[in-house]
Amino acid sequence: MDPDEQTSREVDIPGTVYLVGGAVRDKLRNADVDTDRDWVVVGATAEEMQAAGFTQVGAHFPVFLHPVSNEEYALARTERKLGKGHKGFATDSNPNVTIEEDLQRRDLTINAVAIGNDDRVVDPWGGLADIDAKLLRHVSDAFVEDPLRIFRVARFTALLPDFEVAKETLELMAQMRGELSTLPAERVWVEFAKAMRGPTPYRFFETLNDVGAVDPWFSDIATLSVAGLIREQQLCHANAVAAMGWLHDEETVTKFCRRLKVPGKLFRLVRSVARHGQALCELQEMKTTEVMRVLQLSHALRPGDAFARLVDAVEACSSTDLSAVRDLVQQLKQLRVENVSPEQYGRELQLSRLNFIESRFAR
């Protein structure tokens, strides 16, 4: 027995427990990936979960942390659309909600399969068949009630490269575009970031274009050009995001990153690619003073790994061998000057670096 399963069974969980979501999907398709496990509890109340030692963390619906494994357990629930956007829902998590009703509110059939403690598979919406057919298909027409699902489906095309979106699901996605502006930036960013970590991140952009959902979040980005570069260069993770910096100017990517609230480290990388990427590729053709200027503006000689990540991203996006640039920066960082006063040290070090560039690097 798996150690995590053993610790889970040491707690007397009320009701009937089911494993749901991505962990089930990936298990059924025999995927060797590390997917977080999510659990649904049928036939229990919040009070009973707390009495069993669980800690409630959900503000809008009852979600609880297991006292030993710290995994999330949610009470089975139904949802009813009340208003616009991602949060306009009323939820019902009474003990009479069935596992089938809980699965019905989910986005795609491949994510609407559950496995009970007895290993019984609950598949009321055809998820198994769609896994076999490699099809991303919505569970019900309630799919249109949450505009975030446009980005979720686009994300799954990036994570599951051999899956295609059902025609009828694409049609529903096209109908949902009007509420995209109601989404919080943080949720859009989460879906986008997960997609960029997938094996085919370019499909995220292609899917948005297929359903006309580029606006408003990606309105100033040439998404198909970015998708083409990612596909051609086989980019992923941070380098896939950096592709936007390679293809756009600094002002455009700055506006985009602020709109999506891109985290600071990645924001600075994308902006630096836009600002310095082309110059780094042309560095060996420059005069000595120009080389030094580019290195200073790109913070190449500062401590930390920011410049190394910049060079990696530019190299990946451009197919340019920048090993000479890496070597130059490493050697410049090691230069020291002796027998000078503290007041003169900075000036003498600068001269020493310029002389090194002149003799070893610049044309």
Side-chain angles (χ1 to χ4, degrees):
M1 180 181 297
D2 185 280
D4 288 339
E5 293 180 4
Q6 178 65 49
T7 57
S8 295
R9 294 184 183 186
E10 291 173 356
V11 177
D12 186 13
I13 305 175
T16 304
V17 178
Y18 295 88
L19 181 65
V20 297
V24 174
R25 176 195 69 233
D26 292 336
K27 179 178 181 179
L28 294 175
R29 66 187 188 94
N30 298 314
D32 185 19
V33 294
D34 184 16
T35 307
D36 290 339
R37 300 190 301 181
D38 295 310
W39 306 89
V40 164
V41 182
V42 174
T45 65
E47 293 74 18
E48 289 172 332
M49 295 292 288
Q50 291 170 334
F54 285 76
T55 302
Q56 184 168 345
V57 295
H60 301 290
F61 49 84
V63 176
F64 304 83
L65 296 180
H66 191 281
V68 178
S69 69
N70 212 42
E71 291 180 323
E72 289 190 355
Y73 286 67
L75 296 185
R77 69 184 189 273
T78 60
E79 294 177 342
R80 182 165 54 92
K81 181 78 167 180
L82 296 179
K84 290 185 177 182
H86 177 67
K87 295 184 177 180
F89 292 89
T91 62
D92 180 7
S93 56
N94 78 76
N96 295 320
V97 175
T98 66
I99 185 61
E100 290 80 7
E101 289 173 323
D102 180 271
L103 294 174
Q104 185 177 15
R105 70 176 174 78
R106 297 177 183 270
D107 51 7
L108 300 172
T109 58
I110 65 170
N111 297 326
V113 184
I115 298 178
N117 282 338
D118 56 359
D119 291 330
R120 179 175 68 92
V121 175
V122 181
D123 178 30
W125 310 109
L128 285 171
D130 285 343
I131 289 174
D132 290 339
K134 295 180 169 46
L135 192 65
L136 301 174
R137 181 170 59 88
H138 62 282
V139 172
S140 72
D141 288 344
F143 178 89
V144 301
E145 295 178 349
D146 185 355
L148 185 66
R149 287 173 171 172
I150 293 177
F151 294 118
R152 282 180 57 81
V153 173
R155 185 242 293 184
F156 281 118
T157 66
L159 297 179
L160 304 173
D162 51 349
F163 279 65
E164 297 295 334
V165 186
K167 179 182 177 182
E168 59 270 27
T169 302
L170 287 172
E171 291 173 351
L172 286 184
M173 291 167 66
Q175 297 174 22
M176 300 159 60
R177 295 171 297 179
E179 288 194 34
L180 286 177
S181 61
T182 67
L183 295 173
E186 293 83 358
R187 298 306 300 271
V188 179
W189 163 250
V190 166
E191 298 301 325
F192 174 62
K194 288 180 178 179
M196 294 303 100
R197 292 194 291 269
T200 53
Y202 59 86
R203 297 187 75 202
F204 177 88
F205 296 108
E206 293 176 346
T207 302
L208 295 187
N209 274 274
D210 287 344
V211 299
V214 172
D215 294 336
W217 294 100
F218 298 86
S219 57
D220 41 12
I221 298 298
T223 50
L224 288 181
S225 296
V226 173
L229 179 61
I230 293 173
R231 181 201 290 264
E232 179 182 352
Q233 300 297 108
Q234 299 182 347
L235 305 176
C236 62
H237 296 238
N239 288 345
V241 185
M244 292 187 292
W246 181 251
L247 293 176
H248 298 84
D249 58 38
E250 181 183 350
E251 181 181 356
T252 298
V253 295
T254 297
K255 182 178 179 181
F256 167 78
C257 289
R258 286 175 175 165
R259 182 188 305 128
L260 253 69
K261 299 184 180 180
V262 176
K265 190 174 182 178
L266 187 55
F267 184 170
R268 290 188 290 273
L269 173 64
V270 178
R271 187 173 56 188
S272 293
V273 171
R275 182 185 294 174
H276 307 296
Q278 194 62 48
L280 289 173
C281 291
E282 300 169 356
L283 205 64
Q284 287 185 277
E285 308 300 321
M286 296 180 183
K287 296 179 180 179
T288 298
T289 54
E290 292 174 336
V291 172
M292 178 57 74
R293 179 175 179 274
V294 171
L295 294 181
Q296 288 176 329
L297 290 174
S298 59
H299 307 313
L301 302 177
R302 290 187 180 182
D305 64 350
F307 183 76
R309 290 186 293 107
L310 169 60
V311 172
D312 287 345
V314 172
E315 199 170 51
C317 291
S318 66
S319 294
T320 302
D321 182 2
L322 296 179
S323 56
V325 175
R326 289 191 183 86
D327 292 342
L328 172 66
V329 170
Q330 183 179 8
Q331 291 167 332
L332 290 176
K333 283 184 173 181
Q334 294 174 351
L335 287 180
R336 299 290 184 270
V337 291
E338 298 178 353
N339 302 320
V340 297
S341 67
E343 293 79 12
Q344 294 176 314
Y345 187 85
R347 177 178 174 276
E348 293 299 322
L349 179 60
Q350 180 79 344
L351 289 174
S352 179
R353 286 171 171 174
L354 286 169
N355 290 333
F356 186 91
I357 295 171
E358 178 74 26
S359 63
R360 306 286 184 89
F361 187 81
R363 292 175 66 88

